[in-house]
């Protein structure tokens, strides 16, 4: 674990705490939602500003805002005919930056992928680095004189 967060600094989490954390991770499982949160950390915005900034469709941005609002990360208020969105939990920005700094996650994923590839190659009998079978020309002793190709093997019907 990181020197910044020794294991002894964290209390044991109850099941409801883990459920809440799992729900939050699901909400943060979208690059667009992370971008929205980072933009709202800078200033409050209306939907059309987010649409222009992120170059995404208005329905998509509205859907992501709905998810963020239901998680309590974003709040909304009316400003005339528009709805103004604001970051409701500023601490989430620190969490996003902390997650982005976890380089070991990518290294661990690469290492796991390599281990799986080696195991798959070992199980299927393929040489390392090659995942496709080689086409081998049969020896002339067993090769037919004419290639049957896709010709049907059933005889043609006999007419009376």
């Amino acid at each position: 674990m990181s020197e910044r967060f020794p294991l002894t600094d964290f209390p044991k989490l109850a099941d409801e705490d883990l459920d809440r954390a799992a729900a939050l991770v699901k909400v943060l499982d979208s690059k667009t939602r992370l971008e929205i949160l980072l933009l709202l950390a800078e200033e409050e915005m209306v939907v059309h500003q987010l649409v222009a900034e992120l170059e995404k469709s208005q329905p998509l941005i509205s859907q992501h805002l709905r998810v963020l609002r239901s998680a309590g990360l974003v709040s909304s208020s009316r400003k005339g005919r528009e709805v103004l969105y604001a970051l409701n939990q500023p601490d989430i920005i620190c969490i996003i930056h902390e997650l982005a700094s976890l380089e070991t996650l990518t290294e661990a994923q690469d290492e796991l992928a390599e281990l799986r590839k080696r195991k798959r190659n070992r199980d299927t009998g393929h040489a390392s680095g090659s995942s496709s079978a080689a086409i081998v020309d049969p020896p002339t002793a067993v090769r037919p004189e004419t290639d049957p190709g896709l010709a049907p093997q059933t005889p043609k019907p006999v007419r009376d």
Side-chain angles (χ1 to χ4, degrees), residues 24 27-28 33-41 44-45 50 61-62 64-77 83-90 92-93:
L24 182 59
V27 170
L28 298 177
R33 288 189 204 129
L34 296 176
E35 290 172 328
I36 290 170
L37 290 169
L38 292 170
L39 286 171
L40 293 178
E44 296 179 342
M45 299 177 116
L50 291 166
I61 297 298
S62 293
H64 284 301
L65 285 167
R66 211 172 1 266
V67 171
L68 292 168
R69 271 185 47 207
S70 68
L73 296 176
V74 168
S75 62
S76 62
S77 60
V83 177
L84 189 64
Y85 291 92
L87 189 62
N88 201 33
Q89 298 284 335
I92 198 67
I93 301 305

PDB file of all heavy atoms in Angstrom, residues 24 27-28 33-41 44-45 50 61-62 64-77 83-90 92-93:
ATOM      1  N   LEU A  24     -20.685   3.964  -5.653  1.00  0.00           N
ATOM      2  CA  LEU A  24     -19.930   5.140  -6.096  1.00  0.00           C
ATOM      3  C   LEU A  24     -18.952   4.772  -7.212  1.00  0.00           C
ATOM      4  O   LEU A  24     -18.803   5.512  -8.191  1.00  0.00           O
ATOM      5  CB  LEU A  24     -19.183   5.774  -4.920  1.00  0.00           C
ATOM      6  CG  LEU A  24     -18.395   7.039  -5.223  1.00  0.00           C
ATOM      7  CD1 LEU A  24     -19.303   8.124  -5.777  1.00  0.00           C
ATOM      8  CD2 LEU A  24     -17.689   7.531  -3.978  1.00  0.00           C
ATOM      9  N   VAL A  27     -20.741   4.619 -10.421  1.00  0.00           N
ATOM     10  CA  VAL A  27     -21.026   5.960 -10.945  1.00  0.00           C
ATOM     11  C   VAL A  27     -19.778   6.541 -11.613  1.00  0.00           C
ATOM     12  O   VAL A  27     -19.867   7.195 -12.650  1.00  0.00           O
ATOM     13  CB  VAL A  27     -21.529   6.892  -9.818  1.00  0.00           C
ATOM     14  CG1 VAL A  27     -21.595   8.333 -10.281  1.00  0.00           C
ATOM     15  CG2 VAL A  27     -22.889   6.428  -9.327  1.00  0.00           C
ATOM     16  N   LEU A  28     -18.622   6.275 -11.054  1.00  0.00           N
ATOM     17  CA  LEU A  28     -17.365   6.814 -11.590  1.00  0.00           C
ATOM     18  C   LEU A  28     -16.809   5.975 -12.744  1.00  0.00           C
ATOM     19  O   LEU A  28     -15.718   6.240 -13.232  1.00  0.00           O
ATOM     20  CB  LEU A  28     -16.320   6.919 -10.479  1.00  0.00           C
ATOM     21  CG  LEU A  28     -16.671   7.850  -9.318  1.00  0.00           C
ATOM     22  CD1 LEU A  28     -15.584   7.803  -8.261  1.00  0.00           C
ATOM     23  CD2 LEU A  28     -16.916   9.260  -9.798  1.00  0.00           C
ATOM     24  N   ARG A  33     -18.525  10.955 -17.275  1.00  0.00           N
ATOM     25  CA  ARG A  33     -18.948  11.429 -15.949  1.00  0.00           C
ATOM     26  C   ARG A  33     -17.777  12.055 -15.200  1.00  0.00           C
ATOM     27  O   ARG A  33     -17.936  13.069 -14.523  1.00  0.00           O
ATOM     28  CB  ARG A  33     -19.543  10.288 -15.138  1.00  0.00           C
ATOM     29  CG  ARG A  33     -20.902   9.870 -15.641  1.00  0.00           C
ATOM     30  CD  ARG A  33     -21.579   8.886 -14.695  1.00  0.00           C
ATOM     31  NE  ARG A  33     -22.539   8.129 -15.468  1.00  0.00           N
ATOM     32  CZ  ARG A  33     -22.625   6.824 -15.494  1.00  0.00           C
ATOM     33  NH1 ARG A  33     -21.827   6.088 -14.752  1.00  0.00           N
ATOM     34  NH2 ARG A  33     -23.530   6.225 -16.230  1.00  0.00           N
ATOM     35  N   LEU A  34     -16.606  11.453 -15.321  1.00  0.00           N
ATOM     36  CA  LEU A  34     -15.425  12.037 -14.676  1.00  0.00           C
ATOM     37  C   LEU A  34     -15.129  13.413 -15.256  1.00  0.00           C
ATOM     38  O   LEU A  34     -14.814  14.353 -14.520  1.00  0.00           O
ATOM     39  CB  LEU A  34     -14.214  11.119 -14.845  1.00  0.00           C
ATOM     40  CG  LEU A  34     -14.297   9.750 -14.170  1.00  0.00           C
ATOM     41  CD1 LEU A  34     -13.077   8.912 -14.508  1.00  0.00           C
ATOM     42  CD2 LEU A  34     -14.475   9.877 -12.675  1.00  0.00           C
ATOM     43  N   GLU A  35     -15.241  13.545 -16.576  1.00  0.00           N
ATOM     44  CA  GLU A  35     -15.004  14.843 -17.220  1.00  0.00           C
ATOM     45  C   GLU A  35     -16.018  15.878 -16.747  1.00  0.00           C
ATOM     46  O   GLU A  35     -15.668  17.039 -16.500  1.00  0.00           O
ATOM     47  CB  GLU A  35     -15.071  14.691 -18.742  1.00  0.00           C
ATOM     48  CG  GLU A  35     -13.912  13.908 -19.323  1.00  0.00           C
ATOM     49  CD  GLU A  35     -14.079  13.587 -20.796  1.00  0.00           C
ATOM     50  OE1 GLU A  35     -15.226  13.403 -21.263  1.00  0.00           O
ATOM     51  OE2 GLU A  35     -13.051  13.524 -21.495  1.00  0.00           O
ATOM     52  N   ILE A  36     -17.279  15.461 -16.611  1.00  0.00           N
ATOM     53  CA  ILE A  36     -18.316  16.377 -16.115  1.00  0.00           C
ATOM     54  C   ILE A  36     -17.969  16.854 -14.706  1.00  0.00           C
ATOM     55  O   ILE A  36     -18.038  18.055 -14.402  1.00  0.00           O
ATOM     56  CB  ILE A  36     -19.704  15.702 -16.144  1.00  0.00           C
ATOM     57  CG1 ILE A  36     -20.176  15.513 -17.591  1.00  0.00           C
ATOM     58  CG2 ILE A  36     -20.725  16.516 -15.344  1.00  0.00           C
ATOM     59  CD1 ILE A  36     -21.422  14.652 -17.732  1.00  0.00           C
ATOM     60  N   LEU A  37     -17.586  15.921 -13.840  1.00  0.00           N
ATOM     61  CA  LEU A  37     -17.237  16.296 -12.465  1.00  0.00           C
ATOM     62  C   LEU A  37     -16.064  17.267 -12.437  1.00  0.00           C
ATOM     63  O   LEU A  37     -16.079  18.247 -11.682  1.00  0.00           O
ATOM     64  CB  LEU A  37     -16.923  15.046 -11.640  1.00  0.00           C
ATOM     65  CG  LEU A  37     -18.119  14.145 -11.327  1.00  0.00           C
ATOM     66  CD1 LEU A  37     -17.647  12.820 -10.750  1.00  0.00           C
ATOM     67  CD2 LEU A  37     -19.092  14.844 -10.392  1.00  0.00           C
ATOM     68  N   LEU A  38     -15.056  17.012 -13.256  1.00  0.00           N
ATOM     69  CA  LEU A  38     -13.886  17.901 -13.287  1.00  0.00           C
ATOM     70  C   LEU A  38     -14.261  19.293 -13.801  1.00  0.00           C
ATOM     71  O   LEU A  38     -13.753  20.305 -13.296  1.00  0.00           O
ATOM     72  CB  LEU A  38     -12.777  17.287 -14.134  1.00  0.00           C
ATOM     73  CG  LEU A  38     -12.142  16.014 -13.531  1.00  0.00           C
ATOM     74  CD1 LEU A  38     -11.228  15.342 -14.538  1.00  0.00           C
ATOM     75  CD2 LEU A  38     -11.403  16.341 -12.245  1.00  0.00           C
ATOM     76  N   LEU A  39     -15.152  19.370 -14.782  1.00  0.00           N
ATOM     77  CA  LEU A  39     -15.599  20.677 -15.281  1.00  0.00           C
ATOM     78  C   LEU A  39     -16.417  21.414 -14.223  1.00  0.00           C
ATOM     79  O   LEU A  39     -16.255  22.624 -14.038  1.00  0.00           O
ATOM     80  CB  LEU A  39     -16.426  20.504 -16.560  1.00  0.00           C
ATOM     81  CG  LEU A  39     -15.648  20.153 -17.818  1.00  0.00           C
ATOM     82  CD1 LEU A  39     -16.595  19.799 -18.953  1.00  0.00           C
ATOM     83  CD2 LEU A  39     -14.741  21.306 -18.220  1.00  0.00           C
ATOM     84  N   LEU A  40     -17.281  20.681 -13.525  1.00  0.00           N
ATOM     85  CA  LEU A  40     -18.114  21.323 -12.502  1.00  0.00           C
ATOM     86  C   LEU A  40     -17.289  21.740 -11.288  1.00  0.00           C
ATOM     87  O   LEU A  40     -17.720  22.598 -10.515  1.00  0.00           O
ATOM     88  CB  LEU A  40     -19.264  20.402 -12.087  1.00  0.00           C
ATOM     89  CG  LEU A  40     -20.310  20.139 -13.169  1.00  0.00           C
ATOM     90  CD1 LEU A  40     -21.371  19.174 -12.664  1.00  0.00           C
ATOM     91  CD2 LEU A  40     -20.936  21.440 -13.662  1.00  0.00           C
ATOM     92  N   ALA A  41     -16.112  21.159 -11.122  1.00  0.00           N
ATOM     93  CA  ALA A  41     -15.224  21.590 -10.030  1.00  0.00           C
ATOM     94  C   ALA A  41     -14.690  22.987 -10.304  1.00  0.00           C
ATOM     95  O   ALA A  41     -14.379  23.733  -9.382  1.00  0.00           O
ATOM     96  CB  ALA A  41     -14.071  20.597  -9.866  1.00  0.00           C
ATOM     97  N   GLU A  44     -19.904  26.274 -11.959  1.00  0.00           N
ATOM     98  CA  GLU A  44     -21.244  25.753 -12.212  1.00  0.00           C
ATOM     99  C   GLU A  44     -21.550  25.927 -13.697  1.00  0.00           C
ATOM    100  O   GLU A  44     -21.124  26.916 -14.309  1.00  0.00           O
ATOM    101  CB  GLU A  44     -22.271  26.500 -11.372  1.00  0.00           C
ATOM    102  CG  GLU A  44     -22.077  26.297  -9.880  1.00  0.00           C
ATOM    103  CD  GLU A  44     -23.089  27.075  -9.053  1.00  0.00           C
ATOM    104  OE1 GLU A  44     -23.716  28.024  -9.581  1.00  0.00           O
ATOM    105  OE2 GLU A  44     -23.244  26.740  -7.873  1.00  0.00           O
ATOM    106  N   MET A  45     -22.301  24.974 -14.266  1.00  0.00           N
ATOM    107  CA  MET A  45     -22.578  25.023 -15.703  1.00  0.00           C
ATOM    108  C   MET A  45     -23.997  24.550 -15.989  1.00  0.00           C
ATOM    109  O   MET A  45     -24.569  23.786 -15.208  1.00  0.00           O
ATOM    110  CB  MET A  45     -21.604  24.132 -16.484  1.00  0.00           C
ATOM    111  CG  MET A  45     -20.146  24.518 -16.363  1.00  0.00           C
ATOM    112  SD  MET A  45     -19.105  23.357 -17.253  1.00  0.00           S
ATOM    113  CE  MET A  45     -18.417  24.424 -18.488  1.00  0.00           C
ATOM    114  N   LEU A  50     -21.910  22.174 -20.975  1.00  0.00           N
ATOM    115  CA  LEU A  50     -21.256  20.863 -20.890  1.00  0.00           C
ATOM    116  C   LEU A  50     -21.235  20.178 -22.256  1.00  0.00           C
ATOM    117  O   LEU A  50     -20.241  19.560 -22.639  1.00  0.00           O
ATOM    118  CB  LEU A  50     -21.954  19.986 -19.855  1.00  0.00           C
ATOM    119  CG  LEU A  50     -21.794  20.426 -18.402  1.00  0.00           C
ATOM    120  CD1 LEU A  50     -22.786  19.710 -17.496  1.00  0.00           C
ATOM    121  CD2 LEU A  50     -20.374  20.187 -17.929  1.00  0.00           C
ATOM    122  N   ILE A  61     -25.352  13.815 -22.233  1.00  0.00           N
ATOM    123  CA  ILE A  61     -24.910  14.616 -21.081  1.00  0.00           C
ATOM    124  C   ILE A  61     -26.004  14.640 -20.015  1.00  0.00           C
ATOM    125  O   ILE A  61     -25.727  14.485 -18.821  1.00  0.00           O
ATOM    126  CB  ILE A  61     -24.521  16.048 -21.518  1.00  0.00           C
ATOM    127  CG1 ILE A  61     -23.320  16.018 -22.472  1.00  0.00           C
ATOM    128  CG2 ILE A  61     -24.241  16.934 -20.306  1.00  0.00           C
ATOM    129  CD1 ILE A  61     -22.049  15.450 -21.884  1.00  0.00           C
ATOM    130  N   SER A  62     -27.256  14.794 -20.442  1.00  0.00           N
ATOM    131  CA  SER A  62     -28.367  14.815 -19.480  1.00  0.00           C
ATOM    132  C   SER A  62     -28.475  13.493 -18.731  1.00  0.00           C
ATOM    133  O   SER A  62     -28.733  13.472 -17.520  1.00  0.00           O
ATOM    134  CB  SER A  62     -29.684  15.116 -20.204  1.00  0.00           C
ATOM    135  OG  SER A  62     -29.664  16.427 -20.701  1.00  0.00           O
ATOM    136  N   HIS A  64     -26.002  11.351 -18.103  1.00  0.00           N
ATOM    137  CA  HIS A  64     -24.890  11.285 -17.153  1.00  0.00           C
ATOM    138  C   HIS A  64     -25.146  12.196 -15.941  1.00  0.00           C
ATOM    139  O   HIS A  64     -24.849  11.816 -14.806  1.00  0.00           O
ATOM    140  CB  HIS A  64     -23.579  11.666 -17.834  1.00  0.00           C
ATOM    141  CG  HIS A  64     -23.025  10.577 -18.703  1.00  0.00           C
ATOM    142  ND1 HIS A  64     -22.696   9.329 -18.238  1.00  0.00           N
ATOM    143  CD2 HIS A  64     -22.738  10.567 -20.027  1.00  0.00           C
ATOM    144  CE1 HIS A  64     -22.229   8.582 -19.232  1.00  0.00           C
ATOM    145  NE2 HIS A  64     -22.250   9.321 -20.328  1.00  0.00           N
ATOM    146  N   LEU A  65     -25.703  13.367 -16.180  1.00  0.00           N
ATOM    147  CA  LEU A  65     -26.021  14.273 -15.070  1.00  0.00           C
ATOM    148  C   LEU A  65     -27.072  13.655 -14.148  1.00  0.00           C
ATOM    149  O   LEU A  65     -27.005  13.811 -12.927  1.00  0.00           O
ATOM    150  CB  LEU A  65     -26.499  15.624 -15.607  1.00  0.00           C
ATOM    151  CG  LEU A  65     -25.404  16.524 -16.175  1.00  0.00           C
ATOM    152  CD1 LEU A  65     -26.014  17.677 -16.963  1.00  0.00           C
ATOM    153  CD2 LEU A  65     -24.487  17.029 -15.074  1.00  0.00           C
ATOM    154  N   ARG A  66     -28.031  12.945 -14.726  1.00  0.00           N
ATOM    155  CA  ARG A  66     -29.057  12.279 -13.929  1.00  0.00           C
ATOM    156  C   ARG A  66     -28.407  11.244 -12.994  1.00  0.00           C
ATOM    157  O   ARG A  66     -28.749  11.154 -11.813  1.00  0.00           O
ATOM    158  CB  ARG A  66     -30.064  11.617 -14.875  1.00  0.00           C
ATOM    159  CG  ARG A  66     -31.447  11.539 -14.351  1.00  0.00           C
ATOM    160  CD  ARG A  66     -32.529  11.069 -15.332  1.00  0.00           C
ATOM    161  NE  ARG A  66     -32.174  10.709 -16.690  1.00  0.00           N
ATOM    162  CZ  ARG A  66     -32.227  11.538 -17.742  1.00  0.00           C
ATOM    163  NH1 ARG A  66     -32.602  12.786 -17.585  1.00  0.00           N
ATOM    164  NH2 ARG A  66     -31.919  11.116 -18.943  1.00  0.00           N
ATOM    165  N   VAL A  67     -27.466  10.474 -13.516  1.00  0.00           N
ATOM    166  CA  VAL A  67     -26.770   9.468 -12.702  1.00  0.00           C
ATOM    167  C   VAL A  67     -25.963  10.149 -11.594  1.00  0.00           C
ATOM    168  O   VAL A  67     -25.994   9.725 -10.434  1.00  0.00           O
ATOM    169  CB  VAL A  67     -25.854   8.587 -13.587  1.00  0.00           C
ATOM    170  CG1 VAL A  67     -24.967   7.682 -12.746  1.00  0.00           C
ATOM    171  CG2 VAL A  67     -26.678   7.765 -14.564  1.00  0.00           C
ATOM    172  N   LEU A  68     -25.252  11.221 -11.948  1.00  0.00           N
ATOM    173  CA  LEU A  68     -24.435  11.938 -10.960  1.00  0.00           C
ATOM    174  C   LEU A  68     -25.302  12.588  -9.884  1.00  0.00           C
ATOM    175  O   LEU A  68     -24.929  12.616  -8.707  1.00  0.00           O
ATOM    176  CB  LEU A  68     -23.566  12.990 -11.660  1.00  0.00           C
ATOM    177  CG  LEU A  68     -22.450  12.432 -12.553  1.00  0.00           C
ATOM    178  CD1 LEU A  68     -21.842  13.532 -13.415  1.00  0.00           C
ATOM    179  CD2 LEU A  68     -21.394  11.737 -11.720  1.00  0.00           C
ATOM    180  N   ARG A  69     -26.464  13.097 -10.282  1.00  0.00           N
ATOM    181  CA  ARG A  69     -27.385  13.693  -9.304  1.00  0.00           C
ATOM    182  C   ARG A  69     -27.935  12.640  -8.364  1.00  0.00           C
ATOM    183  O   ARG A  69     -28.016  12.859  -7.153  1.00  0.00           O
ATOM    184  CB  ARG A  69     -28.542  14.397 -10.011  1.00  0.00           C
ATOM    185  CG  ARG A  69     -28.244  15.841 -10.321  1.00  0.00           C
ATOM    186  CD  ARG A  69     -29.417  16.579 -10.897  1.00  0.00           C
ATOM    187  NE  ARG A  69     -30.641  16.341 -10.155  1.00  0.00           N
ATOM    188  CZ  ARG A  69     -31.860  16.424 -10.686  1.00  0.00           C
ATOM    189  NH1 ARG A  69     -32.013  16.754 -11.937  1.00  0.00           N
ATOM    190  NH2 ARG A  69     -32.919  16.200  -9.961  1.00  0.00           N
ATOM    191  N   SER A  70     -28.323  11.479  -8.920  1.00  0.00           N
ATOM    192  CA  SER A  70     -28.897  10.429  -8.070  1.00  0.00           C
ATOM    193  C   SER A  70     -27.865   9.888  -7.084  1.00  0.00           C
ATOM    194  O   SER A  70     -28.222   9.417  -6.009  1.00  0.00           O
ATOM    195  CB  SER A  70     -29.482   9.302  -8.919  1.00  0.00           C
ATOM    196  OG  SER A  70     -28.468   8.604  -9.587  1.00  0.00           O
ATOM    197  N   ALA A  71     -26.586   9.983  -7.432  1.00  0.00           N
ATOM    198  CA  ALA A  71     -25.517   9.547  -6.518  1.00  0.00           C
ATOM    199  C   ALA A  71     -25.162  10.633  -5.507  1.00  0.00           C
ATOM    200  O   ALA A  71     -24.370  10.391  -4.600  1.00  0.00           O
ATOM    201  CB  ALA A  71     -24.278   9.164  -7.323  1.00  0.00           C
ATOM    202  N   GLY A  72     -25.717  11.828  -5.677  1.00  0.00           N
ATOM    203  CA  GLY A  72     -25.439  12.919  -4.744  1.00  0.00           C
ATOM    204  C   GLY A  72     -24.155  13.665  -5.015  1.00  0.00           C
ATOM    205  O   GLY A  72     -23.734  14.483  -4.209  1.00  0.00           O
ATOM    206  N   LEU A  73     -23.526  13.400  -6.159  1.00  0.00           N
ATOM    207  CA  LEU A  73     -22.266  14.080  -6.483  1.00  0.00           C
ATOM    208  C   LEU A  73     -22.501  15.443  -7.113  1.00  0.00           C
ATOM    209  O   LEU A  73     -21.628  16.312  -7.057  1.00  0.00           O
ATOM    210  CB  LEU A  73     -21.426  13.211  -7.424  1.00  0.00           C
ATOM    211  CG  LEU A  73     -20.961  11.874  -6.850  1.00  0.00           C
ATOM    212  CD1 LEU A  73     -20.229  11.067  -7.909  1.00  0.00           C
ATOM    213  CD2 LEU A  73     -20.090  12.095  -5.638  1.00  0.00           C
ATOM    214  N   VAL A  74     -23.660  15.623  -7.737  1.00  0.00           N
ATOM    215  CA  VAL A  74     -23.985  16.864  -8.439  1.00  0.00           C
ATOM    216  C   VAL A  74     -25.340  17.342  -7.949  1.00  0.00           C
ATOM    217  O   VAL A  74     -26.237  16.549  -7.690  1.00  0.00           O
ATOM    218  CB  VAL A  74     -24.015  16.602  -9.975  1.00  0.00           C
ATOM    219  CG1 VAL A  74     -24.621  17.761 -10.727  1.00  0.00           C
ATOM    220  CG2 VAL A  74     -22.620  16.303 -10.492  1.00  0.00           C
ATOM    221  N   SER A  75     -25.475  18.659  -7.812  1.00  0.00           N
ATOM    222  CA  SER A  75     -26.767  19.249  -7.460  1.00  0.00           C
ATOM    223  C   SER A  75     -27.222  20.141  -8.610  1.00  0.00           C
ATOM    224  O   SER A  75     -26.419  20.544  -9.454  1.00  0.00           O
ATOM    225  CB  SER A  75     -26.652  20.057  -6.170  1.00  0.00           C
ATOM    226  OG  SER A  75     -25.741  21.126  -6.344  1.00  0.00           O
ATOM    227  N   SER A  76     -28.507  20.416  -8.632  1.00  0.00           N
ATOM    228  CA  SER A  76     -29.050  21.266  -9.701  1.00  0.00           C
ATOM    229  C   SER A  76     -29.972  22.313  -9.104  1.00  0.00           C
ATOM    230  O   SER A  76     -30.591  22.101  -8.065  1.00  0.00           O
ATOM    231  CB  SER A  76     -29.802  20.411 -10.720  1.00  0.00           C
ATOM    232  OG  SER A  76     -30.896  19.763 -10.106  1.00  0.00           O
ATOM    233  N   SER A  77     -30.023  23.446  -9.783  1.00  0.00           N
ATOM    234  CA  SER A  77     -30.931  24.522  -9.364  1.00  0.00           C
ATOM    235  C   SER A  77     -31.375  25.279 -10.606  1.00  0.00           C
ATOM    236  O   SER A  77     -30.662  25.339 -11.607  1.00  0.00           O
ATOM    237  CB  SER A  77     -30.231  25.464  -8.375  1.00  0.00           C
ATOM    238  OG  SER A  77     -29.087  26.043  -8.984  1.00  0.00           O
ATOM    239  N   VAL A  83     -31.308  24.887 -16.157  1.00  0.00           N
ATOM    240  CA  VAL A  83     -30.935  24.220 -14.917  1.00  0.00           C
ATOM    241  C   VAL A  83     -29.422  24.331 -14.778  1.00  0.00           C
ATOM    242  O   VAL A  83     -28.673  23.949 -15.669  1.00  0.00           O
ATOM    243  CB  VAL A  83     -31.369  22.730 -14.930  1.00  0.00           C
ATOM    244  CG1 VAL A  83     -30.917  22.031 -13.657  1.00  0.00           C
ATOM    245  CG2 VAL A  83     -32.877  22.621 -15.092  1.00  0.00           C
ATOM    246  N   LEU A  84     -28.993  24.862 -13.650  1.00  0.00           N
ATOM    247  CA  LEU A  84     -27.581  25.064 -13.366  1.00  0.00           C
ATOM    248  C   LEU A  84     -27.084  23.888 -12.523  1.00  0.00           C
ATOM    249  O   LEU A  84     -27.680  23.540 -11.505  1.00  0.00           O
ATOM    250  CB  LEU A  84     -27.395  26.381 -12.598  1.00  0.00           C
ATOM    251  CG  LEU A  84     -25.978  26.874 -12.384  1.00  0.00           C
ATOM    252  CD1 LEU A  84     -25.317  27.200 -13.721  1.00  0.00           C
ATOM    253  CD2 LEU A  84     -25.994  28.109 -11.500  1.00  0.00           C
ATOM    254  N   TYR A  85     -26.019  23.257 -12.972  1.00  0.00           N
ATOM    255  CA  TYR A  85     -25.447  22.104 -12.263  1.00  0.00           C
ATOM    256  C   TYR A  85     -24.183  22.521 -11.530  1.00  0.00           C
ATOM    257  O   TYR A  85     -23.384  23.301 -12.045  1.00  0.00           O
ATOM    258  CB  TYR A  85     -25.145  20.970 -13.245  1.00  0.00           C
ATOM    259  CG  TYR A  85     -26.410  20.349 -13.791  1.00  0.00           C
ATOM    260  CD1 TYR A  85     -26.974  20.823 -14.966  1.00  0.00           C
ATOM    261  CD2 TYR A  85     -27.049  19.323 -13.105  1.00  0.00           C
ATOM    262  CE1 TYR A  85     -28.149  20.282 -15.460  1.00  0.00           C
ATOM    263  CE2 TYR A  85     -28.224  18.778 -13.588  1.00  0.00           C
ATOM    264  CZ  TYR A  85     -28.770  19.256 -14.758  1.00  0.00           C
ATOM    265  OH  TYR A  85     -29.937  18.721 -15.233  1.00  0.00           O
ATOM    266  N   ALA A  86     -24.024  21.973 -10.321  1.00  0.00           N
ATOM    267  CA  ALA A  86     -22.860  22.295  -9.492  1.00  0.00           C
ATOM    268  C   ALA A  86     -22.343  21.017  -8.841  1.00  0.00           C
ATOM    269  O   ALA A  86     -23.095  20.058  -8.631  1.00  0.00           O
ATOM    270  CB  ALA A  86     -23.253  23.304  -8.416  1.00  0.00           C
ATOM    271  N   LEU A  87     -21.076  21.029  -8.518  1.00  0.00           N
ATOM    272  CA  LEU A  87     -20.459  19.905  -7.821  1.00  0.00           C
ATOM    273  C   LEU A  87     -20.944  19.920  -6.372  1.00  0.00           C
ATOM    274  O   LEU A  87     -20.820  20.929  -5.677  1.00  0.00           O
ATOM    275  CB  LEU A  87     -18.929  20.034  -7.886  1.00  0.00           C
ATOM    276  CG  LEU A  87     -18.125  18.861  -7.391  1.00  0.00           C
ATOM    277  CD1 LEU A  87     -18.407  17.616  -8.214  1.00  0.00           C
ATOM    278  CD2 LEU A  87     -16.641  19.193  -7.446  1.00  0.00           C
ATOM    279  N   ASN A  88     -21.528  18.813  -5.940  1.00  0.00           N
ATOM    280  CA  ASN A  88     -22.098  18.723  -4.602  1.00  0.00           C
ATOM    281  C   ASN A  88     -21.115  18.139  -3.589  1.00  0.00           C
ATOM    282  O   ASN A  88     -21.229  18.395  -2.403  1.00  0.00           O
ATOM    283  CB  ASN A  88     -23.376  17.870  -4.660  1.00  0.00           C
ATOM    284  CG  ASN A  88     -24.296  18.114  -3.509  1.00  0.00           C
ATOM    285  OD1 ASN A  88     -24.374  19.216  -2.993  1.00  0.00           O
ATOM    286  ND2 ASN A  88     -25.012  17.074  -3.112  1.00  0.00           N
ATOM    287  N   GLN A  89     -20.154  17.342  -4.060  1.00  0.00           N
ATOM    288  CA  GLN A  89     -19.164  16.690  -3.199  1.00  0.00           C
ATOM    289  C   GLN A  89     -17.761  17.017  -3.720  1.00  0.00           C
ATOM    290  O   GLN A  89     -17.180  16.243  -4.474  1.00  0.00           O
ATOM    291  CB  GLN A  89     -19.367  15.168  -3.209  1.00  0.00           C
ATOM    292  CG  GLN A  89     -20.702  14.687  -2.688  1.00  0.00           C
ATOM    293  CD  GLN A  89     -20.767  14.761  -1.176  1.00  0.00           C
ATOM    294  OE1 GLN A  89     -19.742  14.716  -0.503  1.00  0.00           O
ATOM    295  NE2 GLN A  89     -21.966  14.901  -0.666  1.00  0.00           N
ATOM    296  N   PRO A  90     -17.178  18.144  -3.346  1.00  0.00           N
ATOM    297  CA  PRO A  90     -15.866  18.545  -3.867  1.00  0.00           C
ATOM    298  C   PRO A  90     -14.751  17.535  -3.592  1.00  0.00           C
ATOM    299  O   PRO A  90     -13.785  17.455  -4.339  1.00  0.00           O
ATOM    300  CB  PRO A  90     -15.578  19.873  -3.171  1.00  0.00           C
ATOM    301  CG  PRO A  90     -16.882  20.355  -2.655  1.00  0.00           C
ATOM    302  CD  PRO A  90     -17.733  19.156  -2.443  1.00  0.00           C
ATOM    303  N   ILE A  92     -14.700  14.526  -4.158  1.00  0.00           N
ATOM    304  CA  ILE A  92     -14.620  13.521  -5.214  1.00  0.00           C
ATOM    305  C   ILE A  92     -13.501  13.847  -6.209  1.00  0.00           C
ATOM    306  O   ILE A  92     -12.916  12.954  -6.816  1.00  0.00           O
ATOM    307  CB  ILE A  92     -15.981  13.354  -5.942  1.00  0.00           C
ATOM    308  CG1 ILE A  92     -16.033  12.036  -6.715  1.00  0.00           C
ATOM    309  CG2 ILE A  92     -16.260  14.507  -6.872  1.00  0.00           C
ATOM    310  CD1 ILE A  92     -16.028  10.813  -5.861  1.00  0.00           C
ATOM    311  N   ILE A  93     -13.162  15.114  -6.345  1.00  0.00           N
ATOM    312  CA  ILE A  93     -12.085  15.520  -7.265  1.00  0.00           C
ATOM    313  C   ILE A  93     -10.750  14.954  -6.784  1.00  0.00           C
ATOM    314  O   ILE A  93      -9.954  14.460  -7.586  1.00  0.00           O
ATOM    315  CB  ILE A  93     -12.033  17.061  -7.399  1.00  0.00           C
ATOM    316  CG1 ILE A  93     -13.371  17.601  -7.927  1.00  0.00           C
ATOM    317  CG2 ILE A  93     -10.884  17.487  -8.304  1.00  0.00           C
ATOM    318  CD1 ILE A  93     -13.843  16.989  -9.236  1.00  0.00           C
TER     319      ILE A  93
END
